[in-house]
Amino acid sequence: MADESANLSATMGLIVNGGNAKSAAFEAIHAAKVNDFTTADAKLKEADNFLTETHNAQTGMLTAEANGDHAKVTLLMVHGQDHLMNAITFRDLAGEIVDLYKKLAEQK
């Protein structure tokens, strides 16, 4: 059975970094809305960095599972995976919205 404290740490990494990634992506949209594209691009990069951290936490969990170190699936772990999936989706959408605001600004 997997080390419970390592699983908790990885799960919290999913939640915290996933939430931070989503927040940074949201800030990128707000910056683009007021034509602050330097900040928007920086916030998208920040979101990507948080997603990398989140991905690393998830990869550690998946590697342990593949090596036969099975973790007990908890509601907290499922919540962490939800945070990751939502953050990835939101980041992708934020990038598209920022690009749209850039195109609108170029047309003015």
Side-chain angles (χ1 to χ4, degrees), residues 1-2 7 57-71 77:
M1 196 58 124
N7 280 333
Q58 183 188 48
T59 299
M61 296 169 79
L62 293 171
T63 300
E65 181 80 17
N67 289 331
D69 192 8
H70 303 287
M77 191 181 291

Side-chain angles (χ1 to χ4, degrees), residues 53-99:
E53 290 299 315
T54 308
H55 176 73
N56 290 342
Q58 183 188 48
T59 299
M61 296 169 79
L62 293 171
T63 300
E65 181 80 17
N67 289 331
D69 192 8
H70 303 287
K72 183 173 98 176
V73 178
T74 65
L75 183 57
L76 192 61
M77 191 181 291
V78 172
H79 180 66
Q81 292 295 326
D82 283 345
H83 265 272
L84 173 57
M85 291 179 357
N86 284 324
I88 291 169
T89 301
F90 200 87
R91 164 51 183 97
D92 290 345
L93 185 58
E96 294 298 319
I97 292 171
V98 168
D99 285 346

Side-chain angles (χ1 to χ4, degrees), residues 5-18:
S5 66
N7 280 333
L8 180 58
S9 178
T11 298
M12 293 310 294
L14 294 177
I15 294 168
V16 170
N17 289 307

